[in-house]
Amino acid sequence: MIKEIVNLKQADIYQKDKHILKGINLKISKGEFVYLIGKTGAGKTSLLKTMYADIPLKGGSGEMVGFELAGLNRNQIPALRKKLGIVFQDFNLLMDRSVSDNLIFVLKATGWTDANKMAKRVDLVLKLVSLDPKIGKKMPHEISGGEQQRVVIARALLNKPEMILADEPTGNLDPETSDDILKLFRDLSELHNTSVLFATHDFRILENFPARIVRCHNGGLIEEEDLIS
């Protein structure tokens, strides 16, 4: 039986007191790659923030990687996020420390203590995103935008997440680099059985690399086929 990583049922998504999405249903299986699309302000980011518990789920039910979002205890949030990899459009790298130190910072923050194990994990995740581990010695400003985004994805992979939530991760990149990053996400899904929810407004990517699509539309969440029919 295929394990469901995401199971939202009649979920209500709020941004403060504003009701953004109403009664949405969404299931994502282990290893599945799904695009999330919608106009600016349609609710994509609010949905993602609810999924990683930055915004509380106020109505309906929602299970994420084994955690029930409704009524989630604040103390449970770090354990939930440890099972998730979160990638943003803005890289949010610490510019005053090297690439390796950026990754080690996250490992320490999530409970790692053994220096040798941390160093090995850093090298491994850099290789997973097709970067030479030697890049770890460089400062973020010394590498390209595409390389910085690969570092951000490597950071998201440090704790072997069951799912990656990516919010417009190619928004600041040129088309060729965007394609390379998209292929990387697809490989993570197919080769490592990692579920991916990839928010984008780049329809060129959707055409070139087709996959299941869900759309934030008119205050709801709709499978793309349902919208077309």
Side-chain angles (χ1 to χ4, degrees), residues 4-194:
E4 287 174 356
I5 296 295
V6 177
N7 189 1
L8 303 181
K9 295 180 181 178
Q10 294 298 307
D12 290 329
I13 309 300
Y14 284 80
Q15 184 65 266
K16 296 183 179 178
D17 293 329
K18 186 177 180 182
H19 205 165
I20 304 293
L21 298 170
K22 301 177 182 179
I24 66 169
N25 297 295
L26 176 65
K27 291 183 179 181
I28 298 176
S29 301
K30 186 167 180 60
E32 187 176 10
F33 183 100
V34 181
Y35 289 114
L36 175 65
I37 65 172
K39 295 179 181 178
T40 301
K44 300 189 301 296
T45 296
S46 295
L47 174 59
L48 293 174
K49 284 185 173 183
T50 302
M51 294 172 78
Y52 62 81
D54 193 48
I55 295 174
L57 180 62
K58 294 183 178 180
S61 65
E63 188 172 311
M64 286 288 300
V65 294
F67 288 83
E68 179 54 57
L69 294 176
L72 186 69
N73 187 303
R74 194 168 194 80
N75 295 330
Q76 294 176 292
I77 293 176
L80 164 68
R81 292 182 182 167
K82 199 169 182 179
K83 290 189 172 188
L84 299 173
I86 305 168
V87 179
F88 302 102
Q89 179 176 339
D90 298 321
F91 305 138
N92 291 327
L93 292 169
L94 302 169
M95 303 305 287
D96 62 343
R97 60 189 75 191
S98 69
V99 166
S100 287
D101 284 344
N102 264 270
L103 301 178
I104 288 171
F105 176 82
V106 174
L107 288 173
K108 288 180 177 179
T110 52
W112 291 59
T113 56
D114 187 299
N116 288 330
K117 289 181 179 179
M118 286 191 285
K120 288 180 180 178
R121 187 61 189 162
V122 166
D123 284 356
L124 179 59
V125 294
L126 289 174
K127 289 176 183 176
L128 280 176
V129 298
S130 301
L131 288 175
D132 188 325
K134 291 178 182 177
I135 206 170
K137 296 179 182 178
K138 293 187 176 182
M139 302 296 283
H141 67 83
E142 295 178 312
I143 61 179
S144 70
E147 288 170 330
Q148 287 186 48
Q149 188 60 291
R150 287 177 183 271
V151 172
V152 171
I153 298 167
R155 182 178 64 190
L157 296 174
L158 284 168
N159 286 302
K160 301 179 182 178
E162 293 185 44
M163 180 169 198
I164 294 175
L165 301 174
D167 192 1
E168 302 277 5
T170 60
N172 291 328
L173 304 174
D174 62 77
E176 183 177 353
T177 306
S178 294
D179 287 353
D180 289 342
I181 295 298
L182 190 279
K183 289 174 187 174
L184 174 56
F185 278 106
R186 295 294 290 264
D187 286 346
L188 291 170
S189 174
E190 294 171 14
L191 303 178
H192 298 277
N193 209 25
T194 304

